[in-house]
Amino acid sequence: MCGIMGYIGNRQAQSVLTNGLRKLEYRGYDSAGIAVFTGETIAVRKKTGRLAALEQQLAASPLHGSLGIGHTRWATHGRPSDENAHPHVDQSGKFSIVHNGIIENYLALKRELLEKGVTFTSETDTEVIVHLLAELYAGDLVEAVLQLTRKIRGAYALGVITEHEPDKLVAVRVASPLIIGLGDGENFIGSDIPAVLEYTRDVCILEDGDLAILTKDDVTILNIDTKQLINRERVQIDWDQEQAEKAGYDHYMLKEIYEQPRALRNSMAGRIDEAGKTVTFSGLQLRPLLNDIDKVFIVACGTAYHAGLVGKHVIERLARLPVEVDVASEFRYRRPLISEKTLTIVVSQSGETADTLAALREAKRLGSNVLAITNVVGSSIAREADRVITTLAGPEIAVASTKAYTTQLLVFYLLGIYLAQERQTLDEQLRIALIEALQQLPEQVESILANADEIRLFAESIKQEKSIFFIGRGIDYAVSLEGSLKLKEISYIHSEAYAAGELKHGTLALIEEGTRVIALATQEELYEKMLSNIKEVKARGATVLGISSAKTIELHRAVDEVWLIPSTYPLFTPILSVIPLQLIAYYTSLALGNDVDKPRNLAKSVTVE
């Protein structure tokens, strides 16, 4: 990840590539690079940091040629560095590629290539692709790329060039976005439409399994499995630049809500074995610690803290380890009882959250091993933790977190299953069933997103409310907290979440005729108790929206409106039940005319205590 640009035509590729990459800066990145065929060889320039650093390098040592590929990288495998930046080349320097996505089986492929004497210069999964491509090449670039797609497994978008065939630019899409820009005597590839808008408004959006062969005068598209020619619709883009960055969505937050299925798939990639029976975290090296761990702390702030509350349920239920969850800003000051037998898990989208970073340092000072869950590979938290699991959500621009939260949940699910299988606290048959259910979650999220219209209507009905309550029991209470936070931070409507069993201990005093209540009822073992709590607020005049996967007459009779989510294991419902809550917050803020992406008084990354 994160941005791809490619060009073939008559212009100087260097300026086209850097201009295109600049239009993709909004996606977030930690390094940038380009590769250009100069007429004799493929020359590469790449640099850690902002695009400006690359442009300074190019000003001192420009590249001349009309075929090239470029990339802005969001680190996944390997820290941000010049060596890990894209494009990558093979040992001969005759092949170059850029890549977005994850190659799940890269370690096995890397071992095979090392045994054959291939020398690697980076820590990335991407470098495996270019060495493998060079090995497969036998005079036909397209055929070599087709063979390559049969050997690599995962999610990827590729841009490929070789000095052997300087009249071609080859692109492939498998579960990672890629578009073609169609020009006059020139053609382009890009990971998003803004990359090409300066040069053309005619685009073709590749679909999964498409391989595109670009020359300066033509574009041919094949299916990678059947090799059959495919006609893809030419679309004329009439968006302005800002709209294009949002892929046509009105706001980054809405775009990021709809990106969640892909983010979940990316975060799962390479972490479930091919047979779908075990969870694996390559390089995590947690196993040596497991016999000594007797307690887990989860420490985070805001939305990440809410993910940690779900993580507590998951780890305790599956791995049978006691878990405490702390708000990071409070953690240091209560003198937590931590020892070398404690595993501290810190969670942060940005990896720069000041309170969480301070908590990490305190945990290490007290002798704890620290595992970080973060979305940013080269962040301070990622560097200072003993072990890191990246969420692979991709850059999140809107202040209100959505896809970072659901991918944090997914990592907790994977981690819980991993700890359980290592500690042998989970029946194998149940573990396999849980993994299968996890793999279905992205598609189930898509099914919820496909029915967002009723949520928009609900948001219109609550925009004038002064106070809204969320209630739930067990793991639903953790999700209620997140739903309440989302609503208050971007709509500015006062909102509170309560454990439903606590209503009678004071909160019912706030319920009066017409009070709006959103009730989560997804936990089968607590279902009857939750119905009783719903009836308590109804009896005092509340208007109740119920969110559940249970199609029962009792629930329909108890509430004013029901939204059903797909059925899954009770532990996994938070990923599904939070989607309508995110959309409620978004559409309510929209209805009120607020700045959805930049709510007042808030910042994306909290870097001060």
Side-chain angles (χ1 to χ4, degrees), residues 299-445:
V299 186
C301 299
T303 286
Y305 170 74
H306 298 155
L309 293 173
V310 175
K312 171 184 170 69
H313 283 266
V314 173
I315 294 171
E316 289 188 339
R317 187 82 56 93
L318 301 182
R320 310 306 300 159
L321 277 166
V323 180
E324 286 192 46
V325 188
D326 251 333
V327 175
S329 57
E330 297 292 329
F331 178 76
R332 285 188 298 156
Y333 305 109
R334 70 177 187 86
R335 299 182 181 178
L337 299 177
I338 283 180
S339 72
E340 66 278 357
K341 290 190 175 184
T342 304
L343 175 64
T344 302
I345 302 174
V346 296
V347 190
S348 167
Q349 185 280 137
S350 67
E352 301 294 345
T353 311
D355 290 317
T356 308
L357 184 58
L360 179 158
R361 290 167 178 164
E362 177 67 3
K364 290 189 75 171
R365 187 186 71 80
L366 294 171
S368 175
N369 279 278
V370 177
L371 168 64
I373 297 174
T374 183
N375 196 34
V376 183
V377 173
S379 62
S380 298
I381 284 173
R383 292 195 307 271
E384 295 193 29
D386 300 298
R387 292 162 180 81
V388 182
I389 301 175
T390 49
T391 54
L392 306 180
E396 193 178 63
I397 294 170
V399 167
S401 180
T402 52
K403 63 180 181 174
Y405 172 76
T406 49
T407 53
Q408 285 164 1
L409 294 184
L410 182 72
V411 166
F412 272 120
Y413 295 143
L414 291 167
L415 181 61
I417 294 171
Y418 173 82
L419 292 172
Q421 73 193 21
E422 295 301 321
R423 288 170 55 82
Q424 298 183 336
T425 57
L426 191 61
D427 174 77
E428 182 183 11
Q429 199 168 4
L430 177 57
R431 185 185 76 234
I432 293 170
L434 288 170
I435 290 172
E436 184 178 335
L438 269 187
Q439 293 173 312
Q440 293 171 1
L441 287 173
E443 187 176 341
Q444 291 177 317
V445 171

Side-chain angles (χ1 to χ4, degrees), residues 111-130:
R111 281 193 293 269
E112 292 176 12
L113 290 165
L114 286 168
E115 288 172 2
K116 294 176 181 178
V118 173
T119 300
F120 285 79
T121 60
S122 79
E123 305 165 284
T124 67
D125 55 342
T126 301
E127 193 182 354
V128 168
I129 305 173
V130 73

Side-chain angles (χ1 to χ4, degrees), residues 422-473:
E422 295 301 321
R423 288 170 55 82
Q424 298 183 336
T425 57
L426 191 61
D427 174 77
E428 182 183 11
Q429 199 168 4
L430 177 57
R431 185 185 76 234
I432 293 170
L434 288 170
I435 290 172
E436 184 178 335
L438 269 187
Q439 293 173 312
Q440 293 171 1
L441 287 173
E443 187 176 341
Q444 291 177 317
V445 171
E446 287 171 340
S447 73
I448 298 172
L449 292 171
N451 294 286
D453 286 345
E454 61 180 329
I455 299 174
R456 183 193 285 264
L457 292 173
F458 179 83
E460 285 284 344
S461 77
I462 66 171
K463 66 181 182 181
Q464 299 305 325
E465 297 293 330
K466 299 300 181 187
S467 193
I468 295 176
F469 297 96
F470 292 73
I471 58 174
R473 297 187 77 121

Side-chain angles (χ1 to χ4, degrees), residues 513-534:
E513 192 69 33
T515 301
R516 303 302 286 263
V517 175
I518 298 172
L520 275 65
T522 73
Q523 302 301 297
E524 187 176 343
E525 64 185 8
L526 293 166
Y527 190 66
E528 290 183 357
K529 293 186 184 299
M530 189 63 202
L531 280 177
S532 297
N533 299 137
I534 290 170

